Amino acid sequence: MNKKTIIRTLEKIALYMELQGENPFKVGAFRKAAQTLELDPRSLSKMDDILSLKGIGKGTGSVITDLMEKGKSDLLEELEEAVPSGLLPLLKLPGLGGKKIAKLHQELGIDSPESLQAACERGDVSKLAGFGKKTEEKLLKELESFQSIPTHFPIWSIDAIVKMIEQELSNIEEISKYSVAGSYRRRKEFSSDIDFVMAVTDPEKVREKILNALPISEIVAAGDTKVSVKLDMQDPVDVDFRFVTEEQYASTLHHFTGSKEHNVKMRQLAKSLGKKISEYGVEQEDGSVKTFKTEEEFFQHFNLPFIPPTLRKDGTELDRLDEIPSVIQPEDIISDLHMHTTWSDGAHSIQEMVEANRLLGRRYMVITDHSQYLKVANGLTSSRLRKQMEEIRKLQLQYDDIRIFCGTEMDILPDGSLDFDDELLADLDFVIASIHSSFSQPQEKIMERILTAMKNPHVDMIAHPTGRIIGQRPGYEPDVPQLIQWAKEYGKILELNANPFRLDLAEEYLVMAQELDVPIAINTDAHSIEQLNVMPIGVQYGQRAWLKKENVVNTWSVNRFESFLKK
DNA sequence: GCCGTTTTCGGCCCGACTGTTTTCAGTCG
């Protein structure tokens, strides 16, 4: 049995135990064991002494050996017999946890969402100790819609809502500071809700103003320090607001940025020093609570460097502190190698894009309009591209603080050929090859197309290598490890497209590419001046893969970039 | 269930909020 299946099985066991109302620490032990396996880079066959791993003991170890040797686990089979699988989805209902579900099962024989609904309708649930009328009504309401409501939202939709909320918060004078926290701040691809942390002078007033300013469909909770609402939007996303004082703000921001695993590790560290971390500060051994002006100060208190939110992941970041200084930062970026103008489907002229890039402090840039095949995007024919090159060369004479390279985003056609001939490609400074069509071809055919581009000596970069749109379409699903291997072999750059709809390559593949020293370019693919601003989103997403500055092309000097192109 | 330079028992990160209670358990993040 492979490692992934074993990890999933351990998690499943934890889930079933939870449904039995088991001791949370015992449940946690199985989750911990699963995580231990997941974080270990070795394959199962190379892990000879499983019991020596921290977090795996007699109980979890025997489950793992059972799975390896017999391909099944007696423990899981017993649990599956004792706990109806119809209870699993009930854990998704807000307000229901293992203990309550166990009680519903034991006392009322509930074994599925349907039987729970029936019991609520009969009024049986409210008669149970610990349950009441309100709980029953709430459950009924949740049950009606809970299959159809999405529970997590792609980063680009969260991005839009965050901006809307920030706009409202900036109008409230009683808020001195605010920040989005949670998984959006960590730049995860999906978030289940949005967290905001703010320093306020008058919590009650702020609470009222927020409730008035936002389109709210439901107030989930409204306490003194916390307001939780469901927004009345196309997708009913939950938003939490936490009010604290200015002094507490840095600690609160850290706390609500997470991740959960990061926080647990930090608290364990504090505890080993006789201190206690909460969202309000750090309690010292003498009971006094120390607060911090910034998150940097907070980390410093534990002799740690600032750990960017994007690196606060599974807790292992605390073991990789010496790598942090070399991880890419938004201010390291001095170029953008992929953007469009009015020549194809962009909204601004070449000169407008140049001016905007200068304002952003870019030292060099590449104009890469679409090629002729992409008619919907007004792709350039070879003669129009030659004209554009002339215009760019002329425009360059006006600027000595930015280099403007002539490029193209050339289509790789469905039949595997390239959209321009070699003669034209040779005259360009920079050639991007992309797939924009026939996504549903079999993987072999897709890979054939990509290989053509890889083998062409004039092609410098493969853009958005999988074509995915987060939460909407998977893309053309190439064999990415193979694609990365080819990039290594043929000396090509792979793109991390910074557009929040794409973020392509994805995190796990960026890790793979970096391991092979394949250069990565983080580009905006901007179709307007405004879209040039997505760069930090891409950089921060790259941080999640621990991308090193050195491996990111856009940090290279113009000379180094040019000599790479000449190779 | 796991762990241990304060070890083989007694903790395991910490606090807010709700709904059910009449001082707190369960859930959530």
PDB file of all heavy atoms in Angstrom, chain A residues 55 57 60 95 97 100 132 135 267 271 280, chain B residues 2-3 12-14 16-17 19-20 27-28:
ATOM      1  N   GLY A  55       5.860  11.065  17.168  1.00  0.00           N
ATOM      2  CA  GLY A  55       4.440  11.170  16.862  1.00  0.00           C
ATOM      3  C   GLY A  55       3.842   9.840  16.440  1.00  0.00           C
ATOM      4  O   GLY A  55       2.639   9.702  16.302  1.00  0.00           O
ATOM      5  N   GLY A  57       3.665   5.931  17.592  1.00  0.00           N
ATOM      6  CA  GLY A  57       3.963   5.024  18.701  1.00  0.00           C
ATOM      7  C   GLY A  57       3.402   3.638  18.441  1.00  0.00           C
ATOM      8  O   GLY A  57       3.178   3.263  17.285  1.00  0.00           O
ATOM      9  N   THR A  60      -0.473   3.753  16.617  1.00  0.00           N
ATOM     10  CA  THR A  60      -0.485   4.210  15.225  1.00  0.00           C
ATOM     11  C   THR A  60       0.505   3.406  14.394  1.00  0.00           C
ATOM     12  O   THR A  60       0.248   3.111  13.227  1.00  0.00           O
ATOM     13  CB  THR A  60      -0.138   5.707  15.129  1.00  0.00           C
ATOM     14  OG1 THR A  60       1.083   5.945  15.837  1.00  0.00           O
ATOM     15  CG2 THR A  60      -1.229   6.564  15.736  1.00  0.00           C
ATOM     16  N   GLY A  95     -21.562  23.840  14.253  1.00  0.00           N
ATOM     17  CA  GLY A  95     -22.197  23.594  15.544  1.00  0.00           C
ATOM     18  C   GLY A  95     -22.197  22.129  15.932  1.00  0.00           C
ATOM     19  O   GLY A  95     -22.436  21.803  17.079  1.00  0.00           O
ATOM     20  N   GLY A  97     -20.053  18.719  16.380  1.00  0.00           N
ATOM     21  CA  GLY A  97     -18.747  18.089  16.456  1.00  0.00           C
ATOM     22  C   GLY A  97     -18.932  16.636  16.817  1.00  0.00           C
ATOM     23  O   GLY A  97     -20.065  16.122  16.843  1.00  0.00           O
ATOM     24  N   LYS A 100     -21.386  15.728  19.920  1.00  0.00           N
ATOM     25  CA  LYS A 100     -22.822  15.880  19.680  1.00  0.00           C
ATOM     26  C   LYS A 100     -23.336  14.855  18.676  1.00  0.00           C
ATOM     27  O   LYS A 100     -24.439  14.321  18.831  1.00  0.00           O
ATOM     28  CB  LYS A 100     -23.127  17.298  19.189  1.00  0.00           C
ATOM     29  CG  LYS A 100     -23.027  18.323  20.311  1.00  0.00           C
ATOM     30  CD  LYS A 100     -23.687  19.637  19.933  1.00  0.00           C
ATOM     31  CE  LYS A 100     -23.945  20.450  21.186  1.00  0.00           C
ATOM     32  NZ  LYS A 100     -24.338  21.833  20.890  1.00  0.00           N
ATOM     33  N   GLY A 132     -31.208  22.107  22.255  1.00  0.00           N
ATOM     34  CA  GLY A 132     -32.389  22.899  22.553  1.00  0.00           C
ATOM     35  C   GLY A 132     -33.118  23.278  21.290  1.00  0.00           C
ATOM     36  O   GLY A 132     -32.751  22.851  20.194  1.00  0.00           O
ATOM     37  N   THR A 135     -30.897  25.118  18.642  1.00  0.00           N
ATOM     38  CA  THR A 135     -30.004  24.210  17.928  1.00  0.00           C
ATOM     39  C   THR A 135     -30.764  23.459  16.849  1.00  0.00           C
ATOM     40  O   THR A 135     -30.308  23.337  15.713  1.00  0.00           O
ATOM     41  CB  THR A 135     -29.385  23.201  18.910  1.00  0.00           C
ATOM     42  OG1 THR A 135     -28.822  23.915  20.011  1.00  0.00           O
ATOM     43  CG2 THR A 135     -28.305  22.376  18.249  1.00  0.00           C
ATOM     44  N   ARG A 267       3.486  28.175  20.211  1.00  0.00           N
ATOM     45  CA  ARG A 267       3.043  28.096  21.602  1.00  0.00           C
ATOM     46  C   ARG A 267       3.816  27.045  22.375  1.00  0.00           C
ATOM     47  O   ARG A 267       4.104  27.210  23.564  1.00  0.00           O
ATOM     48  CB  ARG A 267       1.545  27.808  21.644  1.00  0.00           C
ATOM     49  CG  ARG A 267       0.807  29.052  21.291  1.00  0.00           C
ATOM     50  CD  ARG A 267      -0.649  28.844  21.070  1.00  0.00           C
ATOM     51  NE  ARG A 267      -1.250  30.167  20.934  1.00  0.00           N
ATOM     52  CZ  ARG A 267      -2.539  30.403  20.990  1.00  0.00           C
ATOM     53  NH1 ARG A 267      -3.362  29.421  21.198  1.00  0.00           N
ATOM     54  NH2 ARG A 267      -2.986  31.624  20.863  1.00  0.00           N
ATOM     55  N   LYS A 271       6.030  27.806  25.598  1.00  0.00           N
ATOM     56  CA  LYS A 271       5.825  27.020  26.808  1.00  0.00           C
ATOM     57  C   LYS A 271       7.147  26.465  27.338  1.00  0.00           C
ATOM     58  O   LYS A 271       7.395  26.447  28.547  1.00  0.00           O
ATOM     59  CB  LYS A 271       4.865  25.876  26.505  1.00  0.00           C
ATOM     60  CG  LYS A 271       4.246  25.334  27.748  1.00  0.00           C
ATOM     61  CD  LYS A 271       3.028  24.523  27.445  1.00  0.00           C
ATOM     62  CE  LYS A 271       2.487  24.025  28.768  1.00  0.00           C
ATOM     63  NZ  LYS A 271       1.150  23.534  28.704  1.00  0.00           N
ATOM     64  N   TYR A 280      -3.423  38.050  22.752  1.00  0.00           N
ATOM     65  CA  TYR A 280      -3.276  39.383  23.344  1.00  0.00           C
ATOM     66  C   TYR A 280      -1.849  39.742  23.685  1.00  0.00           C
ATOM     67  O   TYR A 280      -1.559  40.879  24.027  1.00  0.00           O
ATOM     68  CB  TYR A 280      -4.141  39.477  24.607  1.00  0.00           C
ATOM     69  CG  TYR A 280      -5.591  39.167  24.303  1.00  0.00           C
ATOM     70  CD1 TYR A 280      -6.225  38.083  24.887  1.00  0.00           C
ATOM     71  CD2 TYR A 280      -6.300  39.945  23.393  1.00  0.00           C
ATOM     72  CE1 TYR A 280      -7.537  37.790  24.579  1.00  0.00           C
ATOM     73  CE2 TYR A 280      -7.607  39.649  23.079  1.00  0.00           C
ATOM     74  CZ  TYR A 280      -8.224  38.582  23.670  1.00  0.00           C
ATOM     75  OH  TYR A 280      -9.531  38.283  23.356  1.00  0.00           O
TER      76      TYR A 280
ATOM     77  P    DC B   2       0.470   5.700  19.771  1.00  0.00           P
ATOM     78  OP1  DC B   2       1.025   5.536  18.421  1.00  0.00           O
ATOM     79  OP2  DC B   2       0.632   4.655  20.798  1.00  0.00           O
ATOM     80  O5'  DC B   2       1.009   7.082  20.365  1.00  0.00           O
ATOM     81  C5'  DC B   2       0.963   8.244  19.559  1.00  0.00           C
ATOM     82  C4'  DC B   2       1.822   9.324  20.182  1.00  0.00           C
ATOM     83  O4'  DC B   2       1.145   9.849  21.342  1.00  0.00           O
ATOM     84  C3'  DC B   2       3.196   8.843  20.655  1.00  0.00           C
ATOM     85  O3'  DC B   2       4.180   9.754  20.210  1.00  0.00           O
ATOM     86  C2'  DC B   2       3.079   8.808  22.173  1.00  0.00           C
ATOM     87  C1'  DC B   2       2.015   9.871  22.452  1.00  0.00           C
ATOM     88  N1   DC B   2       1.173   9.611  23.646  1.00  0.00           N
ATOM     89  C2   DC B   2       0.980  10.625  24.597  1.00  0.00           C
ATOM     90  O2   DC B   2       1.539  11.719  24.430  1.00  0.00           O
ATOM     91  N3   DC B   2       0.195  10.378  25.670  1.00  0.00           N
ATOM     92  C4   DC B   2      -0.395   9.191  25.806  1.00  0.00           C
ATOM     93  N4   DC B   2      -1.175   8.999  26.879  1.00  0.00           N
ATOM     94  C5   DC B   2      -0.223   8.149  24.859  1.00  0.00           C
ATOM     95  C6   DC B   2       0.565   8.395  23.802  1.00  0.00           C
ATOM     96  P    DC B   3       5.721   9.363  20.380  1.00  0.00           P
ATOM     97  OP1  DC B   3       6.429   9.758  19.148  1.00  0.00           O
ATOM     98  OP2  DC B   3       5.825   7.980  20.896  1.00  0.00           O
ATOM     99  O5'  DC B   3       6.165  10.327  21.557  1.00  0.00           O
ATOM    100  C5'  DC B   3       5.791  11.704  21.549  1.00  0.00           C
ATOM    101  C4'  DC B   3       6.105  12.271  22.903  1.00  0.00           C
ATOM    102  O4'  DC B   3       5.042  11.904  23.811  1.00  0.00           O
ATOM    103  C3'  DC B   3       7.385  11.709  23.510  1.00  0.00           C
ATOM    104  O3'  DC B   3       8.376  12.719  23.518  1.00  0.00           O
ATOM    105  C2'  DC B   3       7.020  11.273  24.931  1.00  0.00           C
ATOM    106  C1'  DC B   3       5.584  11.719  25.100  1.00  0.00           C
ATOM    107  N1   DC B   3       4.697  10.736  25.772  1.00  0.00           N
ATOM    108  C2   DC B   3       3.944  11.160  26.872  1.00  0.00           C
ATOM    109  O2   DC B   3       4.049  12.328  27.268  1.00  0.00           O
ATOM    110  N3   DC B   3       3.117  10.277  27.479  1.00  0.00           N
ATOM    111  C4   DC B   3       3.028   9.026  27.024  1.00  0.00           C
ATOM    112  N4   DC B   3       2.178   8.208  27.658  1.00  0.00           N
ATOM    113  C5   DC B   3       3.786   8.577  25.913  1.00  0.00           C
ATOM    114  C6   DC B   3       4.601   9.452  25.312  1.00  0.00           C
ATOM    115  P    DC B  12      -1.268  21.048  29.239  1.00  0.00           P
ATOM    116  OP1  DC B  12      -0.444  22.265  29.237  1.00  0.00           O
ATOM    117  OP2  DC B  12      -2.696  21.083  29.597  1.00  0.00           O
ATOM    118  O5'  DC B  12      -1.140  20.341  27.818  1.00  0.00           O
ATOM    119  C5'  DC B  12       0.157  20.192  27.232  1.00  0.00           C
ATOM    120  C4'  DC B  12       0.035  19.320  26.028  1.00  0.00           C
ATOM    121  O4'  DC B  12      -0.430  18.013  26.428  1.00  0.00           O
ATOM    122  C3'  DC B  12      -1.005  19.834  25.022  1.00  0.00           C
ATOM    123  O3'  DC B  12      -0.391  19.985  23.751  1.00  0.00           O
ATOM    124  C2'  DC B  12      -2.078  18.775  24.990  1.00  0.00           C
ATOM    125  C1'  DC B  12      -1.309  17.532  25.436  1.00  0.00           C
ATOM    126  N1   DC B  12      -2.200  16.493  26.015  1.00  0.00           N
ATOM    127  C2   DC B  12      -2.147  15.203  25.501  1.00  0.00           C
ATOM    128  O2   DC B  12      -1.350  14.957  24.591  1.00  0.00           O
ATOM    129  N3   DC B  12      -2.965  14.259  26.011  1.00  0.00           N
ATOM    130  C4   DC B  12      -3.802  14.575  27.003  1.00  0.00           C
ATOM    131  N4   DC B  12      -4.586  13.599  27.481  1.00  0.00           N
ATOM    132  C5   DC B  12      -3.867  15.876  27.549  1.00  0.00           C
ATOM    133  C6   DC B  12      -3.059  16.799  27.034  1.00  0.00           C
ATOM    134  P    DC B  13      -0.950  21.134  22.806  1.00  0.00           P
ATOM    135  OP1  DC B  13      -2.384  21.005  22.677  1.00  0.00           O
ATOM    136  OP2  DC B  13      -0.075  21.087  21.631  1.00  0.00           O
ATOM    137  O5'  DC B  13      -0.653  22.447  23.629  1.00  0.00           O
ATOM    138  C5'  DC B  13       0.408  23.301  23.237  1.00  0.00           C
ATOM    139  C4'  DC B  13      -0.036  24.724  23.331  1.00  0.00           C
ATOM    140  O4'  DC B  13      -0.794  25.072  22.152  1.00  0.00           O
ATOM    141  C3'  DC B  13      -0.938  25.014  24.522  1.00  0.00           C
ATOM    142  O3'  DC B  13      -0.563  26.276  25.054  1.00  0.00           O
ATOM    143  C2'  DC B  13      -2.339  25.074  23.926  1.00  0.00           C
ATOM    144  C1'  DC B  13      -2.054  25.616  22.524  1.00  0.00           C
ATOM    145  N1   DC B  13      -3.023  25.178  21.489  1.00  0.00           N
ATOM    146  C2   DC B  13      -3.544  26.135  20.624  1.00  0.00           C
ATOM    147  O2   DC B  13      -3.214  27.316  20.764  1.00  0.00           O
ATOM    148  N3   DC B  13      -4.408  25.742  19.665  1.00  0.00           N
ATOM    149  C4   DC B  13      -4.744  24.464  19.540  1.00  0.00           C
ATOM    150  N4   DC B  13      -5.584  24.139  18.586  1.00  0.00           N
ATOM    151  C5   DC B  13      -4.214  23.485  20.417  1.00  0.00           C
ATOM    152  C6   DC B  13      -3.366  23.867  21.375  1.00  0.00           C
ATOM    153  P    DC B  14      -1.183  26.790  26.390  1.00  0.00           P
ATOM    154  OP1  DC B  14      -0.145  27.588  27.047  1.00  0.00           O
ATOM    155  OP2  DC B  14      -1.847  25.670  27.091  1.00  0.00           O
ATOM    156  O5'  DC B  14      -2.326  27.779  25.890  1.00  0.00           O
ATOM    157  C5'  DC B  14      -1.983  28.924  25.135  1.00  0.00           C
ATOM    158  C4'  DC B  14      -3.237  29.625  24.724  1.00  0.00           C
ATOM    159  O4'  DC B  14      -3.924  28.819  23.743  1.00  0.00           O
ATOM    160  C3'  DC B  14      -4.239  29.840  25.863  1.00  0.00           C
ATOM    161  O3'  DC B  14      -4.374  31.223  26.064  1.00  0.00           O
ATOM    162  C2'  DC B  14      -5.536  29.181  25.393  1.00  0.00           C
ATOM    163  C1'  DC B  14      -5.309  29.013  23.895  1.00  0.00           C
ATOM    164  N1   DC B  14      -5.977  27.855  23.267  1.00  0.00           N
ATOM    165  C2   DC B  14      -6.770  28.057  22.142  1.00  0.00           C
ATOM    166  O2   DC B  14      -6.913  29.218  21.709  1.00  0.00           O
ATOM    167  N3   DC B  14      -7.371  26.995  21.556  1.00  0.00           N
ATOM    168  C4   DC B  14      -7.188  25.777  22.050  1.00  0.00           C
ATOM    169  N4   DC B  14      -7.792  24.776  21.431  1.00  0.00           N
ATOM    170  C5   DC B  14      -6.382  25.552  23.188  1.00  0.00           C
ATOM    171  C6   DC B  14      -5.785  26.604  23.771  1.00  0.00           C
ATOM    172  P    DA B  16     -10.867  35.402  25.586  1.00  0.00           P
ATOM    173  OP1  DA B  16     -10.583  36.842  25.663  1.00  0.00           O
ATOM    174  OP2  DA B  16     -11.325  34.649  26.768  1.00  0.00           O
ATOM    175  O5'  DA B  16     -11.899  35.147  24.422  1.00  0.00           O
ATOM    176  C5'  DA B  16     -11.601  35.629  23.116  1.00  0.00           C
ATOM    177  C4'  DA B  16     -12.796  35.402  22.220  1.00  0.00           C
ATOM    178  O4'  DA B  16     -12.902  33.987  21.946  1.00  0.00           O
ATOM    179  C3'  DA B  16     -14.123  35.825  22.849  1.00  0.00           C
ATOM    180  O3'  DA B  16     -14.907  36.468  21.860  1.00  0.00           O
ATOM    181  C2'  DA B  16     -14.740  34.521  23.324  1.00  0.00           C
ATOM    182  C1'  DA B  16     -14.150  33.482  22.379  1.00  0.00           C
ATOM    183  N9   DA B  16     -13.882  32.196  23.027  1.00  0.00           N
ATOM    184  C8   DA B  16     -13.217  31.986  24.197  1.00  0.00           C
ATOM    185  N7   DA B  16     -13.108  30.717  24.523  1.00  0.00           N
ATOM    186  C5   DA B  16     -13.747  30.045  23.492  1.00  0.00           C
ATOM    187  C6   DA B  16     -13.974  28.675  23.240  1.00  0.00           C
ATOM    188  N6   DA B  16     -13.554  27.705  24.056  1.00  0.00           N
ATOM    189  N1   DA B  16     -14.638  28.344  22.118  1.00  0.00           N
ATOM    190  C2   DA B  16     -15.044  29.329  21.297  1.00  0.00           C
ATOM    191  N3   DA B  16     -14.882  30.652  21.430  1.00  0.00           N
ATOM    192  C4   DA B  16     -14.222  30.943  22.553  1.00  0.00           C
ATOM    193  P    DC B  17     -16.219  37.186  22.250  1.00  0.00           P
ATOM    194  OP1  DC B  17     -16.388  38.316  21.331  1.00  0.00           O
ATOM    195  OP2  DC B  17     -16.266  37.367  23.709  1.00  0.00           O
ATOM    196  O5'  DC B  17     -17.286  36.071  21.870  1.00  0.00           O
ATOM    197  C5'  DC B  17     -17.335  35.589  20.537  1.00  0.00           C
ATOM    198  C4'  DC B  17     -18.326  34.449  20.459  1.00  0.00           C
ATOM    199  O4'  DC B  17     -17.773  33.282  21.101  1.00  0.00           O
ATOM    200  C3'  DC B  17     -19.648  34.751  21.176  1.00  0.00           C
ATOM    201  O3'  DC B  17     -20.696  34.667  20.235  1.00  0.00           O
ATOM    202  C2'  DC B  17     -19.742  33.695  22.276  1.00  0.00           C
ATOM    203  C1'  DC B  17     -18.795  32.603  21.783  1.00  0.00           C
ATOM    204  N1   DC B  17     -18.148  31.806  22.859  1.00  0.00           N
ATOM    205  C2   DC B  17     -18.158  30.406  22.778  1.00  0.00           C
ATOM    206  O2   DC B  17     -18.722  29.884  21.815  1.00  0.00           O
ATOM    207  N3   DC B  17     -17.557  29.683  23.753  1.00  0.00           N
ATOM    208  C4   DC B  17     -16.959  30.301  24.764  1.00  0.00           C
ATOM    209  N4   DC B  17     -16.369  29.556  25.696  1.00  0.00           N
ATOM    210  C5   DC B  17     -16.925  31.724  24.863  1.00  0.00           C
ATOM    211  C6   DC B  17     -17.530  32.432  23.898  1.00  0.00           C
ATOM    212  P    DG B  19     -27.015  30.769  19.911  1.00  0.00           P
ATOM    213  OP1  DG B  19     -27.658  30.546  18.597  1.00  0.00           O
ATOM    214  OP2  DG B  19     -27.322  31.973  20.701  1.00  0.00           O
ATOM    215  O5'  DG B  19     -27.290  29.495  20.811  1.00  0.00           O
ATOM    216  C5'  DG B  19     -26.773  28.240  20.394  1.00  0.00           C
ATOM    217  C4'  DG B  19     -26.921  27.243  21.515  1.00  0.00           C
ATOM    218  O4'  DG B  19     -25.974  27.560  22.570  1.00  0.00           O
ATOM    219  C3'  DG B  19     -28.305  27.247  22.175  1.00  0.00           C
ATOM    220  O3'  DG B  19     -28.685  25.894  22.400  1.00  0.00           O
ATOM    221  C2'  DG B  19     -28.081  27.991  23.480  1.00  0.00           C
ATOM    222  C1'  DG B  19     -26.651  27.616  23.813  1.00  0.00           C
ATOM    223  N9   DG B  19     -25.916  28.559  24.647  1.00  0.00           N
ATOM    224  C8   DG B  19     -25.997  29.927  24.677  1.00  0.00           C
ATOM    225  N7   DG B  19     -25.183  30.489  25.528  1.00  0.00           N
ATOM    226  C5   DG B  19     -24.518  29.419  26.116  1.00  0.00           C
ATOM    227  C6   DG B  19     -23.513  29.397  27.113  1.00  0.00           C
ATOM    228  O6   DG B  19     -22.990  30.348  27.696  1.00  0.00           O
ATOM    229  N1   DG B  19     -23.108  28.090  27.414  1.00  0.00           N
ATOM    230  C2   DG B  19     -23.613  26.965  26.820  1.00  0.00           C
ATOM    231  N2   DG B  19     -23.105  25.793  27.212  1.00  0.00           N
ATOM    232  N3   DG B  19     -24.543  26.961  25.873  1.00  0.00           N
ATOM    233  C4   DG B  19     -24.952  28.225  25.575  1.00  0.00           C
ATOM    234  P    DT B  20     -30.117  25.557  22.718  1.00  0.00           P
ATOM    235  OP1  DT B  20     -30.476  24.392  21.907  1.00  0.00           O
ATOM    236  OP2  DT B  20     -30.964  26.760  22.684  1.00  0.00           O
ATOM    237  O5'  DT B  20     -29.999  25.092  24.242  1.00  0.00           O
ATOM    238  C5'  DT B  20     -29.383  23.837  24.525  1.00  0.00           C
ATOM    239  C4'  DT B  20     -28.646  23.913  25.830  1.00  0.00           C
ATOM    240  O4'  DT B  20     -27.896  25.138  25.913  1.00  0.00           O
ATOM    241  C3'  DT B  20     -29.544  23.986  27.064  1.00  0.00           C
ATOM    242  O3'  DT B  20     -29.872  22.666  27.491  1.00  0.00           O
ATOM    243  C2'  DT B  20     -28.636  24.638  28.094  1.00  0.00           C
ATOM    244  C1'  DT B  20     -27.569  25.339  27.267  1.00  0.00           C
ATOM    245  N1   DT B  20     -27.506  26.795  27.541  1.00  0.00           N
ATOM    246  C2   DT B  20     -26.564  27.250  28.420  1.00  0.00           C
ATOM    247  O2   DT B  20     -25.787  26.532  28.996  1.00  0.00           O
ATOM    248  N3   DT B  20     -26.557  28.611  28.610  1.00  0.00           N
ATOM    249  C4   DT B  20     -27.387  29.531  28.011  1.00  0.00           C
ATOM    250  O4   DT B  20     -27.301  30.732  28.250  1.00  0.00           O
ATOM    251  C5   DT B  20     -28.359  28.989  27.107  1.00  0.00           C
ATOM    252  C7   DT B  20     -29.333  29.912  26.419  1.00  0.00           C
ATOM    253  C6   DT B  20     -28.382  27.656  26.899  1.00  0.00           C
ATOM    254  P    DT B  27     -19.200  18.970  19.886  1.00  0.00           P
ATOM    255  OP1  DT B  27     -20.183  18.307  19.027  1.00  0.00           O
ATOM    256  OP2  DT B  27     -17.946  18.298  20.275  1.00  0.00           O
ATOM    257  O5'  DT B  27     -18.817  20.371  19.224  1.00  0.00           O
ATOM    258  C5'  DT B  27     -19.839  21.322  18.978  1.00  0.00           C
ATOM    259  C4'  DT B  27     -19.216  22.591  18.433  1.00  0.00           C
ATOM    260  O4'  DT B  27     -18.527  23.285  19.489  1.00  0.00           O
ATOM    261  C3'  DT B  27     -18.177  22.369  17.325  1.00  0.00           C
ATOM    262  O3'  DT B  27     -18.629  23.047  16.170  1.00  0.00           O
ATOM    263  C2'  DT B  27     -16.880  22.930  17.891  1.00  0.00           C
ATOM    264  C1'  DT B  27     -17.389  23.900  18.949  1.00  0.00           C
ATOM    265  N1   DT B  27     -16.443  24.175  20.076  1.00  0.00           N
ATOM    266  C2   DT B  27     -16.139  25.476  20.403  1.00  0.00           C
ATOM    267  O2   DT B  27     -16.605  26.425  19.809  1.00  0.00           O
ATOM    268  N3   DT B  27     -15.276  25.631  21.448  1.00  0.00           N
ATOM    269  C4   DT B  27     -14.707  24.622  22.201  1.00  0.00           C
ATOM    270  O4   DT B  27     -13.942  24.889  23.121  1.00  0.00           O
ATOM    271  C5   DT B  27     -15.062  23.283  21.806  1.00  0.00           C
ATOM    272  C7   DT B  27     -14.480  22.127  22.556  1.00  0.00           C
ATOM    273  C6   DT B  27     -15.901  23.117  20.779  1.00  0.00           C
ATOM    274  P    DC B  28     -17.864  22.939  14.807  1.00  0.00           P
ATOM    275  OP1  DC B  28     -18.876  23.114  13.751  1.00  0.00           O
ATOM    276  OP2  DC B  28     -16.975  21.765  14.822  1.00  0.00           O
ATOM    277  O5'  DC B  28     -16.948  24.242  14.842  1.00  0.00           O
ATOM    278  C5'  DC B  28     -17.558  25.520  15.036  1.00  0.00           C
ATOM    279  C4'  DC B  28     -16.462  26.556  15.158  1.00  0.00           C
ATOM    280  O4'  DC B  28     -15.850  26.457  16.471  1.00  0.00           O
ATOM    281  C3'  DC B  28     -15.323  26.359  14.148  1.00  0.00           C
ATOM    282  O3'  DC B  28     -15.329  27.452  13.247  1.00  0.00           O
ATOM    283  C2'  DC B  28     -14.048  26.322  14.979  1.00  0.00           C
ATOM    284  C1'  DC B  28     -14.499  26.797  16.356  1.00  0.00           C
ATOM    285  N1   DC B  28     -13.788  26.145  17.483  1.00  0.00           N
ATOM    286  C2   DC B  28     -13.188  26.944  18.466  1.00  0.00           C
ATOM    287  O2   DC B  28     -13.261  28.170  18.364  1.00  0.00           O
ATOM    288  N3   DC B  28     -12.547  26.348  19.499  1.00  0.00           N
ATOM    289  C4   DC B  28     -12.492  25.023  19.570  1.00  0.00           C
ATOM    290  N4   DC B  28     -11.858  24.495  20.606  1.00  0.00           N
ATOM    291  C5   DC B  28     -13.092  24.184  18.579  1.00  0.00           C
ATOM    292  C6   DC B  28     -13.726  24.780  17.561  1.00  0.00           C
TER     293       DC B  28
END
